[in-house]
Amino acid sequence: MLEAEFTYNLPGVVQSLRESREKTHKIRHLGKVRELPDRQSIEAILEGLFAALFPTHYGRADLTDESIDYFVGNVLSVALNSLTEQIRRGLYFSAGNDLTREVTFNELSESLTARFASELPAIRALIVSDIRAAMSGDPAATSVSEILLCYPGVSAAIHYRIAHSLYQLGAPLLARFISEIAHSRTGVDIHPGAMIGEGFFIDHGTGVVIGQTAILGKNIRLYQAVTLGAKRFPEDGDGNLIKGADRHPILEDDVVIYAGATVLGRITIGARSTIGGNVWLTKNVPPDSNISQAQSLGH
Amino acid sequence: MLEAEFTYNLPGVVQSLRESREKTHKIRHLGKVRELPDRQSIEAILEGLFAALFPTHYGRADLTDESIDYFVGNVLSVALNSLTEQIRRGLYFSAGNDLTREVTFNELSESLTARFASELPAIRALIVSDIRAAMSGDPAATSVSEILLCYPGVSAAIHYRIAHSLYQLGAPLLARFISEIAHSRTGVDIHPGAMIGEGFFIDHGTGVVIGQTAILGKNIRLYQAVTLGAKRFPEDGDGNLIKGADRHPILEDDVVIYAGATVLGRITIGARSTIGGNVWLTKNVPPDSNISQAQSLGH
Amino acid sequence: MLEAEFTYNLPGVVQSLRESREKTHKIRHLGKVRELPDRQSIEAILEGLFAALFPTHYGRADLTDESIDYFVGNVLSVALNSLTEQIRRGLYFSAGNDLTREVTFNELSESLTARFASELPAIRALIVSDIRAAMSGDPAATSVSEILLCYPGVSAAIHYRIAHSLYQLGAPLLARFISEIAHSRTGVDIHPGAMIGEGFFIDHGTGVVIGQTAILGKNIRLYQAVTLGAKRFPEDGDGNLIKGADRHPILEDDVVIYAGATVLGRITIGARSTIGGNVWLTKNVPPDSNISQAQSLGH
Amino acid sequence: MLEAEFTYNLPGVVQSLRESREKTHKIRHLGKVRELPDRQSIEAILEGLFAALFPTHYGRADLTDESIDYFVGNVLSVALNSLTEQIRRGLYFSAGNDLTREVTFNELSESLTARFASELPAIRALIVSDIRAAMSGDPAATSVSEILLCYPGVSAAIHYRIAHSLYQLGAPLLARFISEIAHSRTGVDIHPGAMIGEGFFIDHGTGVVIGQTAILGKNIRLYQAVTLGAKRFPEDGDGNLIKGADRHPILEDDVVIYAGATVLGRITIGARSTIGGNVWLTKNVPPDSNISQAQSLGH
Amino acid sequence: MLEAEFTYNLPGVVQSLRESREKTHKIRHLGKVRELPDRQSIEAILEGLFAALFPTHYGRADLTDESIDYFVGNVLSVALNSLTEQIRRGLYFSAGNDLTREVTFNELSESLTARFASELPAIRALIVSDIRAAMSGDPAATSVSEILLCYPGVSAAIHYRIAHSLYQLGAPLLARFISEIAHSRTGVDIHPGAMIGEGFFIDHGTGVVIGQTAILGKNIRLYQAVTLGAKRFPEDGDGNLIKGADRHPILEDDVVIYAGATVLGRITIGARSTIGGNVWLTKNVPPDSNISQAQSLGH
Amino acid sequence: MLEAEFTYNLPGVVQSLRESREKTHKIRHLGKVRELPDRQSIEAILEGLFAALFPTHYGRADLTDESIDYFVGNVLSVALNSLTEQIRRGLYFSAGNDLTREVTFNELSESLTARFASELPAIRALIVSDIRAAMSGDPAATSVSEILLCYPGVSAAIHYRIAHSLYQLGAPLLARFISEIAHSRTGVDIHPGAMIGEGFFIDHGTGVVIGQTAILGKNIRLYQAVTLGAKRFPEDGDGNLIKGADRHPILEDDVVIYAGATVLGRITIGARSTIGGNVWLTKNVPPDSNISQAQSLGH
């Protein structure tokens, strides 16, 4: 049969796409196809970790003292097994063409996952401090359950606490994947490399961006659309971006930043300062400052 | 077998998480575990209510005059039964340790749901006014169907109309849950306590925040990233937040607010006023005002 | 049985909703019920197209040289069949009461889909240019895979490239549906009518809005919450909005616009210009300009 | 790449299978591919019809007087729409290469489905008579609900009543599909062409076979592994089977046949007769007979 | 609109079905609709119990010493909670119109489930004896895993062991539901009231029927299509069946019955006897007998 | 908390079940837990193979000349990958504690699967011969599609053809798993070790059993409940069953066996013979014989 008679010319399109992949617009340079981490598995892992951390809110509704530890142990076991596999894929993938280390990756991903598991109680402690910060920071909040179920900023914080732990343990691709899932769900974009102290609260949240090298102290409160970003990107002599350099703000303890404020560059905002809404800030601020936008409204 | 030989030390982690829940980082103080409202059920309820309100857009594609009432009646029946259960859980949960009223909650949730059902035609009328506002307010809109299927601002309005009704009838936790689902889907965060008149339209929508005590008149039009927030939070003598006090703006009829404007505090924006993009506004504005940001651009 | 004894008075509510649909708050004026495009099908089509374009990232994890073309051909075949049906529904729906053309729509949707299929390699080439722009534009980016899996701005660009092709081929309702799905997933709202050159990169992305008649050259870089919008809407003599008129900005090649900037109206930003964060811009800007917000911060 | 290097030689296998389909082992002779009825859809139709007939047993568990008619109407509407489509496929398929009647098939399948719908109350009456027969015929039966939920013979009867109606109305392929689904579920194989009076009961059921031209009167009771089959198949002069000729037994009212009996050929078993277990019967039996296997057991 | 114009006359059919349910062919006589046990839940409970009993064969494939108890505890907890609810429904339903005992049923179903849970280790011991009987009784069996995964007779035995325990504890409707699920899956129909000793093995299985009052000793081996049934049903003076009377065979230890044999009535087959294929047996047999069918084959 | 207060005493039951698994009723003797083949995966593999063999009947309904090879190639690729994994598990499992060959198993399962793939066209040819036998053997059969969709005997034959190929290639556990799935679906139990020639047809099917070492020639026709079994099991000197010895019948070409006949032992039924219903046969039969049960019916 002549292909020209086909409705969609599938053979032609399939062939063109193959050429695009292999020659014209090739974007992977691998000698062998390798499995990538996949979103569905990571979402299931997150569901398991949330349930293990807060079983009565994110787990089964019918848990009792008799059954709760079995539930937590089982959901953890499933999530950690899957996490080991996803971390292995991430490590294997990032290794480029040096695949001699495949066995090492299997062991490494297992031990890395075990270390992550041992950090879960500490992660839970941080999240509880975040929930308390939400309870005391929002006059509309009525209960811990409302906060756990209905606050996107708290959801973003939980995702971040998990992603940051994985990032520090050596699973950066997994960590980024989780931060992007959180971004999609909550509108809050926190790079897992950022360091954030206890009692962290983001209200409303949509549009918040926190960069890779940002450092936030204890009891930081942010409102929607706050950016903690880079002012400019350092380049090397050839004009290429230098990856990983410190370029995001440092917030000392008890800083509050209102909606829409943009804070850029490796500046320090001193403890207990308040930054007003829509402020554009690129210089250091001493402790106990109160920065607000100039009022310049015409009629 | 020695636990130390285990891959993940599950027994140790499970034990630490139990201690975290019960002692160190306890966040619930219940004598008995109680079922919470769950997101999956509420999403199914919303799907049912959307289908009952607009069966040809959100329901079955093959409905006819012969089948449409059976479809609406059945989808409503399922949604209302489930809503009764979810409201019961919310009431029961909010009751704290006073569980003597369990039977009362069953009856209350049923009658509350019945009242909500009787309001559905009125809710539909408000939503139709919102759709018409979108049709006349956006030059890119081409049909009612495009608006119902493709406008996140209209989706946010439908969620709000439902949530607000439940909020006023006495199911605040359910209402908040719905508003958070809308927030996650559309990027629009409207507290269900806000009061909004007919003909309400949000264009693009991402980043819009409308606070708990805001009051919006008829024919309000908002663009993306508009905040109708609180300026500061009133505290009592001990420095604790006073929950529920009026603290968000009042918008009279026919006000338009462009993208990124921030309106804070219990101020009133007079009828027919236009607030420009990125404006920062904390004072009353008389009717028919036209507020815009000062132009101060350097080259 | 008396309806008054019913728990929810379903017959009364169903009847009121029917009256609302047919009389009081009627929003469709069709002589016959017609099937609308549905979100679930379109999401499945998008999943198929993503997999056909980047099979190792969005398709099956276990693909080999032996199996990849079968996978691509099959996933394309399923997606294109479904796309034909959805386009047919959109055409049929948009035709209003002139249904004499039903057969024509069947043929038209098939040929339109075939033309779309033939554009897929070119669409892939544009997306590869977008990925490369992300790689060179973000110092935190570490690999093509991280960009494909974790960058909402790149996800938004892929959705846009697909939607724009369908929009230009004559399937505007489908195109808008896709852009809204992208908006919901990424917080980035690009109207499918906008024209955007190769090497397009949006970082973080939440809150970006690009209007229907915007024209963007090559190598444009945008940050979160940038608006490329209309200043005002042209009206005809009767005060009705004129639909479709040119009303959004033109960006020449190599323009960068930082977070929160608002660019409104049919203005032109000259090549290689940089627009700073939170800038409010409504006038033409010559090439190589560097616009930033006036610093006016009070202490 | 050489195909010989492939793991599974997919191209070779795919090519061989195509040749097998098109040349060597071709079993379809169609000018155009046509959609066949599919099992998943038919199973969903059956689920819907069972629910419409016995909503409190096979439908939703929470039905009330208020909701039951909406449920029945909606589940029927969905099932009948799908049934129309499946019947259309069956008619279209059976038409061979005479496809000029495609439009006729659409109308025919719709009117045939409507006639089937109008027979549902009569079908329900027959099934109720079957249930009563089970209740009075099995000393282990304790309630109507146990019979509806736990008796494969009753399940087989319900499937048969539905399939027989479709068979007589002119949808034989659908009818056969349903009888095979019943066979797979219950081990009872009743050809939909068989004619069976009210009060029919099969106990245990596994292995029962009732042929296409069998005629069973009222109040027939059968036990497991009873065959009502053909003795030999009539052939025409060329040795080809004559399709459709009467070749299976006639059972008059109130006949009981015990487990494992084999009744073959166009014979008549007179009213009120009892046929014992494992009997092999190929001759007429007068009314009120009591046939049992000769006892011939050696030690 | 005239209903006569409708495609399927849904209102007429729905009305006729309501009349059939309420008047003409009414089969339930309840003052209030009550929820029945449902097959989907019971199938999930069975899946859970199978997994708890043999976690490495019917549970998760990746279990380790570290995780297996969490898995078993969790899967049991879910299954037992659901079993309690299903038993409650069964009790409540069987109570007819005497609903004053609703609270009692809640407690009763919970304590009954607890007693069932405590019997699980003993049930497992019996099943292990059945598996060993299969291993030693079938020359084609190669491993315990093959037996657990591929032998319908063993699957039927596991279902029976569970159903029988529930039957004896006082949940007969649940028990019957389980036996019917087993029947549908394996073709083996064992009434849960039958009593069967350890080391029970059915080979092939299809068509085996074991009646309610049958008693089987230890190490019984049956082949396909064996019936252990009632010869006739005892009636009271009015010709009504007497429910529950002893009417099925007793098999002493170590009896083997070959394919197709039919054993009817309250007879006793003595220990170590062998009954040949297709034998029809209605009289007592002394121990160590060897019964076979008379050979009477004509040419 | 005292465990005695628990509702179900989960800790006690879990502990008892562990003891049952590890000590009292231990049935596996492995040094390490190994993954077993799982039914869900094998069912998916079968669905894929059926679709690859008969894509228009068991695959997608919308296939065209343009898309069919992509569909077949893709569905095969998925099925073969999964089959490789399931075969690997089966080999690994059967290896007992000799796990030094793990790598070998990986390679072996891949090459075994490749050989199986290369046999698929020949398997299809056999199945087509079986379909033709059904078409010519049953007067009720109306089309190839009816036979493929509605004949359990043909479904059983397809399962057998696949299972037998895997059995001969060296994957016996997989093969048995498939034969048991077929048994559950069709009531036909064919051991994958049996050898069956082309043109094989089973009508109705329920209760047919064909043993491991049976040999069937060409154009064999069987009816429901036919057993081709072993007369007795050979034992070694210690009374243990000798596994795998020839013990089932040989049927020469063109033999027909009617419903319920039982043929036992290593006997030969000569070509063109007919065995009547319910016949019990344990001796050789010369070609062209016509065996029927003696008529011995009392009144």
Side-chain angles (χ1 to χ4, degrees), chain E:
Chain E
M1 176 177 281
L2 295 179
E3 291 185 2
E5 297 177 14
F6 287 165
T7 305
Y8 302 125
N9 185 21
L10 279 180
V13 178
V14 169
Q15 174 65 13
S16 299
L17 288 173
R18 176 182 272 268
E19 281 167 15
S20 174
R21 283 197 311 274
E22 296 185 349
K23 292 176 202 152
T24 336
H25 304 288
K26 191 174 180 177
I27 52 170
R28 290 181 76 187
H29 304 267
L30 304 175
K32 189 192 163 193
V33 171
R34 280 165 290 173
E35 298 185 314
L36 285 163
D38 72 280
R39 187 179 180 115
Q40 203 173 354
S41 298
I42 296 174
E43 288 181 337
I45 290 166
L46 285 171
E47 195 178 326
L49 294 175
F50 274 57
L53 290 168
F54 298 95
T56 57
H57 285 87
Y58 297 127
R60 281 170 39 204
D62 61 349
L63 291 173
T64 60
D65 267 342
E66 184 178 6
S67 58
I68 196 165
D69 280 356
Y70 293 115
F71 172 76
V72 170
N74 186 58
V75 87
L76 256 188
S77 161
V78 173
L80 296 176
N81 278 352
S82 181
L83 182 58
T84 298
E85 166 64 15
Q86 296 294 315
I87 288 175
R88 189 192 63 74
R89 292 186 181 190
L91 294 174
Y92 188 57
F93 180 82
S94 305
N97 281 318
D98 174 13
L99 300 184
T100 56
R101 298 187 297 163
E102 185 165 356
V103 173
T104 312
F105 290 154
N106 292 347
E107 288 172 7
L108 184 55
S109 60
E110 201 166 87
S111 68
L112 194 157
T113 303
R115 269 178 289 152
F116 171 73
S118 73
E119 290 190 3
L120 282 171
I123 289 172
R124 188 176 189 279
L126 283 168
I127 295 168
V128 169
S129 76
D130 298 336
I131 293 167
R132 289 189 171 130
M135 191 68 184
S136 65
D138 179 10
T142 60
S143 71
V144 162
S145 291
E146 185 192 349
I147 289 168
L148 272 168
L149 298 175
C150 306
Y151 275 66
V154 171
S155 173
I158 304 177
H159 284 88
Y160 160 76
R161 299 287 184 204
I162 291 169
H164 180 64
S165 171
L166 290 168
Y167 187 88
Q168 286 199 308
L169 288 166
L173 187 54
L174 260 283
R176 276 288 289 133
F177 220 133
I178 291 170
S179 72
E180 177 42 32
I181 289 170
H183 188 185
S184 176
R185 291 174 173 172
T186 65
V188 175
D189 182 1
I190 310 175
H191 195 285
M195 299 202 296
I196 304 179
E198 66 180 45
F200 177 55
F201 177 47
I202 301 172
D203 204 1
H204 307 298
T206 308
V208 166
V209 175
I210 301 176
Q212 183 180 19
T213 64
I215 300 174
L216 284 71
K218 298 181 183 178
N219 306 316
I220 301 297
R221 182 150 35 112
L222 306 180
Y223 288 82
Q224 67 270 22
V226 165
T227 293
L228 305 179
K231 192 169 181 184
R232 68 173 57 85
F233 300 145
E235 300 177 359
D236 62 17
D238 299 333
N240 295 321
L241 296 179
I242 300 174
K243 306 237 161 187
D246 291 342
R247 61 195 182 278
H248 301 100
I250 297 171
L251 276 57
E252 295 180 353
D253 296 350
D254 302 304
V255 166
V256 177
I257 307 184
Y258 285 99
T262 303
V263 184
L264 301 182
R266 191 54 159 189
I267 62 172
T268 297
I269 300 184
R272 294 169 304 282
S273 294
T274 298
I275 311 299
N278 285 20
V279 163
W280 174 264
L281 188 63
T282 58
K283 295 175 185 166
N284 285 345
V285 170
D288 298 298
S289 300
N290 196 334
I291 311 290
S292 63
Q293 196 190 38
Q295 294 292 326
S296 51
L297 302 173
H299 293 255

